[in-house]
Amino acid sequence: MSTDRATRKGLLIVNTGNGKGKSTAALGILVRAAGYDFSIGMFQFIKSAETRYGEHIAAEELGIDIVPLGDGFTWLSDNIDADRALAEKGWQRVQEVIESQAFDILILDELTYCLTYGWLDETKVLDVLRRRPSWMHVVVTGRNASPALIELADLVTEMHLVKHPYREKGVPAQPGIEL
């Protein structure tokens, strides 16, 4: 087992599907990687910097920054231009981080929405992911991963919704589970 960049094979991992657990699985990788002293970056394309979630608090304890790039649940927004501008600004930051080679593992939470809604040019995004350092692991989460992203990925997991307490019983999001 190698934690050395010189011998590591970086993977592109995609967690997609309609079921819960895509970001949670990525956070599991974050915790596991922290145990090996990997440098880890996480950017959240939809979540707003105005809200702190449990993962933000826990990551701070591990010395890891999670950077919210969005403005909340932007797919409900009436201002598509603002959504696109936020996504583009966030992607610029991610591109700079990839080029700087600062992180062993980079988590791009909810990036698929930016591609699905056309806020980012998928061809350009995939090109940057394709050209990342050969040792860098990247995890992409979100529903509706495109066929092109799936084709580029080394590992794809689709979360399948079977039952959810909000849908079945009207139970709202719970701290420690969704928040």
Side-chain angles (χ1 to χ4, degrees), residues 39-107:
S39 56
I40 305 152
M42 182 169 181
F43 292 89
Q44 296 176 311
F45 278 88
I46 300 297
K47 288 195 173 116
S48 168
E50 303 298 316
T51 306
R52 284 177 40 91
Y53 295 95
E55 64 259 29
H56 300 138
I57 298 163
E60 285 173 9
E61 292 291 320
L62 294 170
I64 299 166
D65 288 329
I66 297 178
V67 181
L69 300 170
D71 193 22
F73 292 96
T74 53
W75 59 84
L76 300 176
S77 169
D78 291 328
N79 192 344
I80 298 303
D81 290 337
D83 297 334
R84 182 174 286 111
L86 275 175
E88 288 173 357
K89 183 177 177 186
W91 181 250
Q92 183 60 43
R93 287 184 70 184
V94 168
Q95 226 177 318
E96 291 167 3
V97 164
I98 290 173
E99 290 168 3
S100 76
Q101 302 185 11
F103 297 117
D104 295 300
I105 297 184
L106 183 60
I107 300 171

